[in-house]
Each structure stands twice: as C-alpha cells, then as structure tokens.
Amino acid sequence: MAPVLGSRGELSSVTLLKEGHEFYDEEDYKNAKKAFLKTMSLCRCGTDVLKQACIRDDILTGIEKESLKTVLENMSREVKRCDNRSHLVALDSFIAAHEAMGQLNRCLSLAAKMVNLCPREPMAFLRLGKILRLKNQPTLAYLAYKQGVELVQRKYPNRAGLKELCAQRDKVKMLAKFDPLTRLPIELVVMIFKLAGFDTQCRSLRVSGTWRKVLTSPGARDLWHIQTFDLRRKKLSINSKILTASFLAYGRYAGGVVTEVYIDSCMHAISNLDLSRLFSFQKHLKVLEFRQDATHVAGTGQYGLALQDKILHGQVQLPKLKRLSLGYEILLNQEPLQQLLNVSAASLEELAIFSLPDARRDGHEWQRWYPDWPMLEKLKVIRLSAPQYQGSDCPLTLSQILHLTPNVEEAWLNDIQYCARDLMLYWTKLRSIFIGNNATCLRINTDDPVRWLIEDIREVHLEGHSLVDFDIPCEVQTLEKLSVLTDEPLTMEAFEFIVRPSMESGSLQELDIRPLPISGFLSGARQFELPHWFKSQDITYLSLTGFAAHGIPWRTLDELLLEVHDRFPNLRIVDFSREQVPDYVIQKFIHGGVKEVYHRSGRKDDLTIWAAETYQAMVTRFPPTHVPSMHRDRAPFYSHHFCFELPPQ
C-alpha cells in the first residue's frame, strides 16, 4: 500500500528522497548523502543513527552464533525502533552511496544500525547481507539472510521484500562454509572424534583456536578418558619428561578422570619413565598397557625397557586397575609389580606380563614364583611369558600361582613350566588356553593318562615339536576354535581324535592344523582322499598347509583344494601359507564367499586388486593376526610356524 502523505514533513521527505536518488544516478554521491541525511532528520522518531554508538561487533557476533534475536531484544531497551518507510529507504540509500564510494567498513557499521532500527524489515537484512558478500564473507551473509527471514516471517509473513530475502538466502547458501565443530552438537562431535582415534584428536587441537576450545570443553571430556600414545610414528625422540607433560595436559582435558592409558612402541620414551609421576595425576586409571614393537628390539643386543620403580617412595595413591599389560621386553621389578597387584587385587580382571621380572631372591637364589602375590579372585584373563629364562635350569613354574587365580577363563602361556593336572584342578572355569612352543609340560609318574581338558572348554591353541609334547587331551565335542602348530605332522589317528568330535558336533568354527597330516590322506598310488568326516557347514576359518613338503603334483593339489572348497562352503578366511596355489584356485575360494586370503608365496598384485574391487575381499602376504600364536606382544618367533614377512608398522 502506498504511503499517505498527510503532512508537509512527509511530503518534503518524499521530495528530498527523490532528489537524493537523482544525485545518486548522476554519481554525485556527496550531495546524494546530504539529501538522504535531511530525509532521515524529518522522521518523527528522532533517531539519529550517525550519533549512535557502534554496534557492529555485537550484531555480527549475534549473527555468527545464530542468536541475533536475543541480541536485538537486549538492545531494544536502549534504542528507539522505527518503521517509517521513508526513513528506512533514506538510510538504505545513504548506505548505498557509501558503498558506491568503496567505504565498506562504514557501510557495515551503518547496516548493523539499520538492522537494529527496524528488525522486521527485509530491506535491512538485504543491505547487510550484500555488504558482507562484498567483504567476501558469504557464510556470515547467509546467516544474516537466514535469521532475517526468521525474524520477519514470524510476525509479517506477507511483508514486501520477504520473497527477495528468501531468494538471496537460498542463493548464498551454496557459497557458505561452516566449521562442523561449531555447528554439530557436542555429543556428535565426541562420537566422531572417538572413531578418529586419539592421535587424530591430539593433532586436531592445532587446527584452530575454535577447535581447541571445543575439543577441550567440559562437554568433550569423554574424548580424553582413553589415551593411546603410538610413538613409532614420531620422528623426534620423545623423552620421559615430554611424555609426562603430555599425560598431565591431556589429563586436564579429561577433567582429571583418565581411565585407560596405552603406550605403544616406547623403546626410547619410557626407558626411564617415573611411574610415580604418572600415577600421581591418574588416580582413576583402570587400564594400563605398555608394549614395544618386537621388530624394533629383536637383534639389537639390548634386552628390556626398565620402568623406574619410584612408586615405592612417597605417598603416591596407586590406581585400582582392572587391566595391566606389560608387553615383550617391558620390565618391571618384583617389588613395584607386587605393589600394583596388592592395590588392584580386588579389581584386576586381566593380567598380561610378556617379560616376567627376575625371579631370583636378592639376585642369587632362584624361586619357582614370586612370594607374597595376593589372591586375584576377579582375574579372568592371564597371559604370562618369561623369554629371558629360555634354557634356564630353573624356569618359573605356573603351579605356584594357580591357587591364587581360581576364576581364570582365558590363559596364554609361554616360556614357563606347567602341570596339566594342576590346570584341571585349579582352573575349573577355563574356556580358552594357549600353550606356546617354549612352555614345558611337567610329567607326572602315573599309569593313568592325564586327561586335563575341561569338558566345556571352547578354545585350545597348542604349539610344540609334536603332539607328544603335550599330555593328549580327552575328546571334547564343544571346541569352537582349535589350532595345533607342530614341527612334525600329526598322525591320522591323533588328527581324527582331536578334530573330529567338535567338527561333527557343529561347534567348531576355526581350525588351524599346521601342517595337515597329508600322508594320512594318501589312499595308494599317491592318490589323495580326504577323510569322509572332514567337512563342515560351520567352519569359517581354515589353514591349508603341508602340501609342498610332500611334493604333491600341482594338478592333484588343485583338485584337492577345490574339494576342500566344496566341503567347507561357509569359509570366510583361508590361510595357504607358502603353498604353491594357483590364482584360479584362490579366485574360486573368493567367488565362494571367502573375504580374507593369507598367501605368502610371492606377490599377487593383480589378484589383490581384482579381489578388492570385485568382491571387497583381501589377499595379503601377511599372517592372520587373530590367531593366538600371533599375539603382538610375544617374543619374535613366528617364522618357524608361519613363514611370513613382518607387516609394515
């Protein structure tokens, strides 16, 4: 609706406004500004925007934080608003004259005052958005248009200029760039960065001040509860002081509540790490794990990374751990280790020590085990190894600790003596056991065979020269995972005795016999015949090794492997080790549903690319990592059984 000119003032303002536009069209911006100023002075509101304090920063901050409505409400108590059309058009034209003269900073200040003068006028937001775009701030311009639409549409949905404002909002939206950390809910930010990993979290602190502020805010404390330091990627040497400072800084980000700490490849960093400093500000710690990459220490002539045992001094409150893991060549003396165990006795659920400390009393007298270890009733997982005592006349004996750990469900043993009968008597809840090739089974002189496997055990993993190294277990029909790694192949009778019950019951899911008893598959005239019971719908992992040692013709080998493929239709992982398996046989397995193939007989780049692109399957020359023999923290030995190249670190 056209304005009704009911007074000489309004008539004069229209005339002055017209004159100003004529001057503007003639590019006489100086006189145009004078005409527009006179027009604004005739308004009854009496508001002189030129004399108002600068509010540009307040308005732009409100726009950036999408809180413009709140900012304008706070300003309404101090500034008189105006909706006089002539006044607003004159102010808009006055800003346009400054714009034509290239005075964008002046324009921005005036546009902010115009928004405050009439917050429900699309013209004000159109002008402000244009100035922001000219200043190369499309994101801020988009937010100005967006909040302008919301303010106008809420009260005046049919106001002139609203459609144009909406059109500009949609047009600039494609040019806007947003920092995701400032836009997403903090809960979603935490979820994303947890998936990215701790190393990425630490590097992200250096992206910008905004990112650092968001990632270290109280709402993001969950990100820092679990801290993983992977030092193998560090180009510079990191000493214990730097690492301790990192613990302290990241601990503050977690609000002082760090629950898990993992330190990987710590050859140089923790050789003199003061545990007392670590525990002094990690009182809520539940998981502590140190490990060293075996590829970095093997063959160096150095043994062990000695952790300082200053925890014996001072009044340091030790954490009550649920999990303690000291990897290969990470050494902790008897006294600090026992002190940790004493404090965590009522909470410890998992204990892994892959380099047990010196077991001599006062450095001279050998002991079968360490004295005064506490009762660990909650312990469910135990992994023990003492590689430094290989060949010693007085190795450690597991029997001394069995009665202290009555509820163990998973055991991993190597470089240690054990008694099969004691395992059966004390670890009645055992569900999974690994016995390495350097573990020694103590024989008991008795006419009765030792039948030591518990009936409802689920996983058995054995390594040794031959099956004679172990007291042959009784038949078990409930095994889910079975691996037997021996230098001498099993006899056909032993192979059937240990494998067949669980395979026929349908419980067996993973089978790894290295090598397979190939000679037992011979049926005469070097014709091979698989046992009739050697088949399963349930097995998903299978190793196929030992063929090359018998000189099997390649055509016979192909036929034998294809028959295995037909007998195990649900295979998902296959390990061929170094067997000479042709590509078309591997393709047959992959086409049948196998997703992981481990084959260490030359590079197969074309086959690898085909498998990944066609079936999203993996063909690799590295060994399977899920096999207990391949535990990353044990002493290096693998080439003896697996024949593989170390994966890149």
Side-chain angles (χ1 to χ4, degrees), residues 149-166:
V149 169
E150 294 171 355
L151 285 170
V152 176
Q153 202 169 39
R154 186 179 294 113
K155 196 168 183 180
Y156 304 108
N158 298 318
R159 193 147 201 173
L162 181 58
K163 289 185 179 180
E164 182 182 356
L165 185 59
C166 292

Side-chain angles (χ1 to χ4, degrees), residues 264-276:
D264 286 359
S265 300
C266 43
M267 182 67 174
H268 304 290
I270 68 168
S271 57
N272 290 302
L273 181 64
D274 185 352
L275 290 180
S276 62

Side-chain angles (χ1 to χ4, degrees), residues 137 186 197 207 253 322 325 368 435 466 509 512 516 586 596 630 638 640:
Q137 299 184 48
I186 189 63
V207 171
Y253 301 155
K322 288 187 176 181
S325 179
R368 293 293 182 177
I435 298 178
S466 68
Q509 300 172 14
D512 191 346
L516 287 169
I586 296 178
E596 297 179 25
M630 295 301 300
Y638 315 125
H640 182 60

Side-chain angles (χ1 to χ4, degrees), residues 256-525:
V257 185
V258 177
T259 57
E260 300 181 23
V261 171
Y262 304 87
I263 304 180
D264 286 359
S265 300
C266 43
M267 182 67 174
H268 304 290
I270 68 168
S271 57
N272 290 302
L273 181 64
D274 185 352
L275 290 180
S276 62
R277 291 293 307 277
L278 172 63
F279 294 140
S280 64
F281 50 81
Q282 308 263 3
K283 299 178 181 179
H284 301 276
L285 200 62
K286 299 299 180 186
V287 177
L288 179 61
E289 177 179 311
F290 292 103
R291 69 174 301 268
Q292 172 56 39
D293 182 7
T295 61
H296 291 176
V297 296
T300 62
Q302 302 176 359
Y303 183 82
L305 305 177
L307 297 174
Q308 287 188 8
D309 54 5
K310 294 180 181 178
I311 56 176
L312 296 175
H313 307 288
Q315 300 297 323
V316 178
Q317 180 180 349
L318 299 182
K320 296 180 180 180
L321 299 174
K322 288 187 176 181
R323 176 183 174 188
L324 173 62
S325 179
L326 302 176
Y328 175 58
E329 295 200 350
I330 304 295
L331 303 181
L332 189 61
N333 291 335
Q334 289 188 42
E335 293 183 7
L337 177 59
Q338 182 171 332
Q339 199 168 22
L340 275 175
L341 294 177
N342 287 337
V343 174
S344 305
S347 60
L348 197 64
E349 298 178 1
E350 182 173 341
L351 175 64
I353 307 176
F354 290 89
S355 291
L356 284 162
D358 194 330
R360 288 175 294 184
R361 182 182 290 112
D362 300 326
H364 300 285
E365 182 183 353
W366 286 99
Q367 302 175 98
R368 293 293 182 177
W369 198 254
Y370 312 98
D372 303 324
W373 267 35
M375 177 71 72
L376 303 173
E377 293 188 0
K378 286 193 174 181
L379 195 69
K380 295 182 179 180
V381 179
I382 188 169
R383 300 184 180 94
L384 299 175
S385 179
Q388 67 270 36
Y389 298 131
Q390 288 185 19
S392 171
D393 294 333
C394 195
L396 296 174
T397 301
L398 186 68
S399 300
Q400 304 297 318
I401 193 180
L402 290 176
H403 69 282
L404 300 176
T405 56
N407 296 311
V408 166
E409 298 178 4
E410 178 182 341
W412 192 102
L413 309 173
N414 199 24
D415 305 300
I416 199 170
Q417 288 186 344
Y418 71 95
C419 174
R421 175 164 293 176
D422 288 345
L423 291 179
M424 178 187 68
L425 292 176
Y426 289 102
W427 283 351
T428 58
K429 298 181 180 180
L430 195 65
R431 298 296 176 267
S432 173
I433 188 168
F434 166 84
I435 298 178
N437 56 351
N438 289 323
T440 304
C441 180
L442 298 176
R443 305 290 178 176
I444 298 178
N445 295 325
T446 176
D447 296 332
D448 297 328
V450 179
R451 305 168 68 82
W452 57 270
L453 281 185
I454 303 169
E455 292 184 359
D456 54 353
I457 198 166
R458 295 293 180 265
E459 299 183 27
V460 174
H461 308 278
L462 307 174
E463 289 178 356
H465 178 67
S466 68
L467 201 60
V468 179
D469 293 342
F470 313 98
D471 288 322
I472 298 178
C474 61
E475 284 191 6
V476 180
Q477 299 183 358
T478 58
L479 288 179
E480 297 175 359
K481 298 180 182 181
L482 171 64
S483 64
V484 180
L485 282 61
T486 56
D487 297 334
E488 297 179 359
L490 302 179
T491 64
M492 201 59 198
E493 292 77 12
F495 177 68
E496 181 174 354
F497 182 76
I498 197 171
V499 175
R500 184 173 180 177
S502 296
M503 182 171 285
E504 290 188 337
S505 70
S507 65
L508 195 61
Q509 300 172 14
E510 298 185 8
L511 178 63
D512 191 346
I513 305 294
R514 296 173 190 265
L516 287 169
I518 304 300
S519 59
F521 297 165
L522 284 169
S523 61

Side-chain angles (χ1 to χ4, degrees), residues 109-123:
S109 297
L110 292 171
K113 293 179 180 180
M114 185 178 179
V115 168
N116 187 39
L117 183 66
C118 189
R120 309 286 181 178
E121 176 53 56
M123 186 190 312

